C-alpha cells in the first residue's frame, strides 16, 4: 500500500531552494512540495520535466493557502544574509510571512532555514503563537556531523562509533562538548592521559579551530552561495527525520526553557529527539563548568539581540 504523501510548503526565496528540493526528490520521500513564490514557475516546470524519475514526489506552485494542510513549512529568507537589508526590514518580512501562514490555520512544523536562525525562530514563535517544539532550526547538525567524522579520522575508526556534540549558536559561538565525547563507551579525553602518542591536546585544539570555519548558514549573494551542498544535505536530512517520524537525536536549534541552568527561554542548538511532532524532548548533557559558562555567554548574546529588536519597537 503506497505511503500517504506528506505536504511541504517552501516560503521565501533562497539560492538553496532548488538544490533542497532536488535533494528531497533523491531521497524518494512521498511528498507534495509547494513553492510560495512568484518566481517559482520556471523551477516547477524544470522539475516537471524530470517527473518520470521522481514519481514519489510532486513539485507545484501555490499560495499561502497551501499552509493550511502542510505537515512542514520550510522558512527561507535570503535577505537575512544581505547586509544592506536592515534588521527592521527583515523583521517586517518575517512578521508578514508568519501572519499569512497562520491565517490559514497552519499547525505543522516550521523548519527555519536562514542566517541568524535562532533569532528568526524566536520571532516566528512570537508572531505565530505556535508551541516552541514545532519550530526547529538546523542548528549545529552540520558542525556535529563534521566533528564526528574528523574525530573518526584521528582514531581511524567509523564515524558511527563516535559520540560527540557541537552545541551553541553560530560559527564563532560553538562549543565542542569534549567532556561528553566518546569512542564507543570510552571518553575521548581519557586518551590524553593514557595514549598521548595517539592523540594530543593540540589535535583537539586543531579540530576545534576547524569547526569554527563552518557557518551557521551559508553567506548568500545574488549569484552564488557558499557551503550550499553541505547545508542542503542537513536540511533534507532534518526534513526526512520529521516526515518519517524517525525520533532521532540531533543537535538542532530548539527553545530551551529550564535545562542547562539558563535563566530565560532561548533558542540554542543542543541535542534533542526530533520526530513528527517536532522536538519530542531535550537530552540535557552534563557539561563541564567551562562549557556551561560558554553556553550561558552564547545564549546571553542571543537574548540581547532580541532585546534590541524589542527596544526598537519592532516586536509587538
Amino acid at each position: 500500500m503506497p505511503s500517504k504523501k506528506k505536504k511541504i510548503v517552501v516560503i521565501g526565496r533562497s539560492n538553496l531552494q532548488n538544490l533542497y528540493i532536488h535533494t528531497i526528490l533523491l531521497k524518494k520521500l512521498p511528498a507534495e512540495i509547494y513553492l510560495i513564490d512568484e518566481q517559482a514557475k520556471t523551477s516547477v516546470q524544470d522539475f516537471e520535466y524530470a517527473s518520470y524519475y521522481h514519481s514519489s514526489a510532486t513539485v507545484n506552485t501555490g499560495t499561502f493557502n497551501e499552509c493550511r494542510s502542510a505537515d512542514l513549512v520550510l522558512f527561507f529568507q535570503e535577505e537575512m544574509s544581505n547586509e544592506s537589508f536592515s534588521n527592521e526590514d527583515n523583521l517586517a518580512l518575517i512578521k508578514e510571512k508568519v501572519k499569512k501562514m497562520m491565517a490559514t490555520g497552519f499547525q505543522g512544523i516550521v523548519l527555519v532555514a536562514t542566517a541568524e536562525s535562532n533569532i528568526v525562530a524566536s520571532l516566528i514563535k512570537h508572531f505565530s503563537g505556535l508551541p516552541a517544539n514545532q519550530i526547529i532550526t538546523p542548528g549545529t547538525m552540520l558542525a556535529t556531523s563534521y566533528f564526528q567524522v574528523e574525530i573518526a579520522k584521528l582514531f581511524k575508526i567509523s564515524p558511527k562509533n563516535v559520540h560527540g556534540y557541537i552545541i551553541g549558536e553560530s560559527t564563532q559561538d560553538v562549543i565542542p562538548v569534549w567532556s561528553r565525547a566518546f569512542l564507543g563507551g570510552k571518553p575521548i579525553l581519557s586518551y590524553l592521559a593514557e595514549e598521548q602518542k595517539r592523540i594530543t591536546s593540540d589535535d583537539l585544539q586543531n579540530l576545534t579551530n576547524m569547526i569554527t570555519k563552518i557557518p551557521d548558514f551559508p553567506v548568500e549573494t545574488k549569484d552564488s552561495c557558499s557551503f550550499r551542498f553541505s547545508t542542503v544535505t542537513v536540511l533534507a536530512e532534518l526534513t526526512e527525520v520529521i516526515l518519517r517520524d524517525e525520533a532521532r537525536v540531533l543537535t538542532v536549534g530548539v527553545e530551551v526553557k529550564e535545562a542547562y541552568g539558563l535563566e530565560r527561554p532561548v533558542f540554542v542548538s543542543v541535542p534533542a529527539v526530533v520526530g513528527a511532532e517536532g522536538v519530542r524532548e531535550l537530552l540535557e548533557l552534563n557539561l563541564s563548568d567551562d562549557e556551561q559558562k560558554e553556553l550561558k555567554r552564547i545564549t546571553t548574546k542571543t537574548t540581547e539581540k532580541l532585546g534590541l529588536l524589542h527596544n526598537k519597537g519592532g516586536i509587538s
Side-chain angles (χ1 to χ4, degrees), residues 18-182:
N18 286 349
L19 187 56
Y20 165 78
I21 294 170
H22 180 62
T23 308
I24 291 296
L25 298 180
L26 291 177
K27 284 180 170 290
K28 299 188 182 299
L29 281 172
E32 296 176 346
I33 305 170
Y34 289 86
L35 306 186
I36 311 301
D37 185 83
E38 293 179 356
Q39 304 175 43
K41 291 183 179 179
T42 302
S43 297
V44 169
Q45 188 177 46
D46 193 7
F47 287 118
E48 282 181 345
Y49 285 158
S51 61
Y52 177 90
Y53 302 100
H54 56 77
S55 57
S56 297
T58 58
V59 184
N60 317 274
T61 56
T63 67
F64 273 89
N65 287 333
E66 300 298 342
C67 295
R68 178 177 293 108
S69 55
D71 296 284
L72 182 144
V73 161
L74 190 75
F75 196 96
F76 281 123
Q77 186 155 311
E78 64 184 1
E79 292 86 354
M80 291 296 299
S81 299
N82 188 340
E83 292 182 358
S84 66
F85 213 74
S86 71
N87 288 336
E88 290 78 9
D89 288 338
N90 266 308
L91 192 62
L93 268 179
I94 293 168
K95 188 174 184 178
E96 178 186 3
K97 292 176 186 176
V98 173
K99 183 178 179 180
K100 290 180 179 179
M101 177 180 76
M102 296 308 298
T104 69
F106 171 74
Q107 288 298 316
I109 307 300
V110 179
L111 176 51
V112 183
T114 71
E116 297 278 2
S117 58
N118 285 331
I119 295 289
V120 176
S122 182
L123 294 172
I124 291 174
K125 177 178 178 287
H126 178 81
F127 293 136
S128 70
L130 287 170
N133 69 292
Q134 292 175 214
I135 303 168
I136 306 173
T137 88
T140 52
M141 272 183 67
L142 179 57
T144 291
S145 61
Y146 181 64
F147 181 59
Q148 292 169 336
V149 167
E150 290 302 312
I151 290 175
K153 288 179 183 178
L154 281 175
F155 286 91
K156 296 181 173 59
I157 63 169
S158 168
K160 293 183 179 180
N161 296 121
V162 178
H163 304 280
Y165 303 100
I166 301 292
I167 63 174
E169 171 65 31
S170 59
T171 309
Q172 291 78 28
D173 289 322
V174 292
I175 307 169
V177 187
W178 289 112
S179 68
R180 308 305 300 168
F182 298 88

Side-chain angles (χ1 to χ4, degrees), residues 59-311:
V59 184
N60 317 274
T61 56
T63 67
F64 273 89
N65 287 333
E66 300 298 342
C67 295
R68 178 177 293 108
S69 55
D71 296 284
L72 182 144
V73 161
L74 190 75
F75 196 96
F76 281 123
Q77 186 155 311
E78 64 184 1
E79 292 86 354
M80 291 296 299
S81 299
N82 188 340
E83 292 182 358
S84 66
F85 213 74
S86 71
N87 288 336
E88 290 78 9
D89 288 338
N90 266 308
L91 192 62
L93 268 179
I94 293 168
K95 188 174 184 178
E96 178 186 3
K97 292 176 186 176
V98 173
K99 183 178 179 180
K100 290 180 179 179
M101 177 180 76
M102 296 308 298
T104 69
F106 171 74
Q107 288 298 316
I109 307 300
V110 179
L111 176 51
V112 183
T114 71
E116 297 278 2
S117 58
N118 285 331
I119 295 289
V120 176
S122 182
L123 294 172
I124 291 174
K125 177 178 178 287
H126 178 81
F127 293 136
S128 70
L130 287 170
N133 69 292
Q134 292 175 214
I135 303 168
I136 306 173
T137 88
T140 52
M141 272 183 67
L142 179 57
T144 291
S145 61
Y146 181 64
F147 181 59
Q148 292 169 336
V149 167
E150 290 302 312
I151 290 175
K153 288 179 183 178
L154 281 175
F155 286 91
K156 296 181 173 59
I157 63 169
S158 168
K160 293 183 179 180
N161 296 121
V162 178
H163 304 280
Y165 303 100
I166 301 292
I167 63 174
E169 171 65 31
S170 59
T171 309
Q172 291 78 28
D173 289 322
V174 292
I175 307 169
V177 187
W178 289 112
S179 68
R180 308 305 300 168
F182 298 88
L183 296 184
K186 183 172 181 177
I188 288 177
L189 291 181
S190 67
Y191 286 90
L192 293 178
E194 299 171 9
E195 299 184 48
Q196 292 187 6
K197 290 183 178 180
R198 193 169 187 183
I199 188 170
T200 67
S201 57
D202 286 342
D203 292 326
L204 302 189
Q205 186 58 53
N206 289 337
L207 181 50
T208 298
N209 293 339
M210 290 169 67
I211 294 297
T212 63
K213 292 180 172 62
I214 301 176
D216 62 328
F217 200 76
V219 176
E220 298 191 55
T221 65
K222 183 178 179 181
D223 302 312
S224 65
C225 181
S226 62
F227 283 85
R228 59 190 186 278
F229 294 110
S230 53
T231 301
V232 161
T233 298
V234 166
L235 286 173
E237 186 77 3
L238 186 48
T239 298
E240 184 173 29
V241 168
I242 292 169
L243 296 187
R244 293 195 189 280
D245 194 18
E246 293 184 356
R248 283 174 53 187
V249 177
L250 303 170
T251 49
V252 291
V254 300
E255 187 181 68
V256 177
K257 294 182 179 179
E258 299 174 354
Y260 296 99
L262 301 180
E263 296 175 357
R264 63 186 69 183
V266 62
F267 275 84
V268 65
S269 188
V270 293
V273 180
V274 180
E277 67 269 49
V279 178
R280 184 173 298 178
E281 64 175 309
L282 299 184
L283 295 184
E284 186 173 1
L285 300 174
N286 185 17
L287 302 178
S288 69
D289 289 343
D290 286 343
E291 291 162 350
Q292 182 67 49
K293 289 177 183 177
E294 184 65 6
L295 184 62
K296 186 173 182 179
R297 182 191 68 80
I298 290 170
T299 56
T300 297
K301 284 179 64 175
T302 300
T303 301
E304 289 174 349
K305 287 180 182 179
L306 284 167
L308 288 174
L309 291 173
H310 275 285
N311 292 338

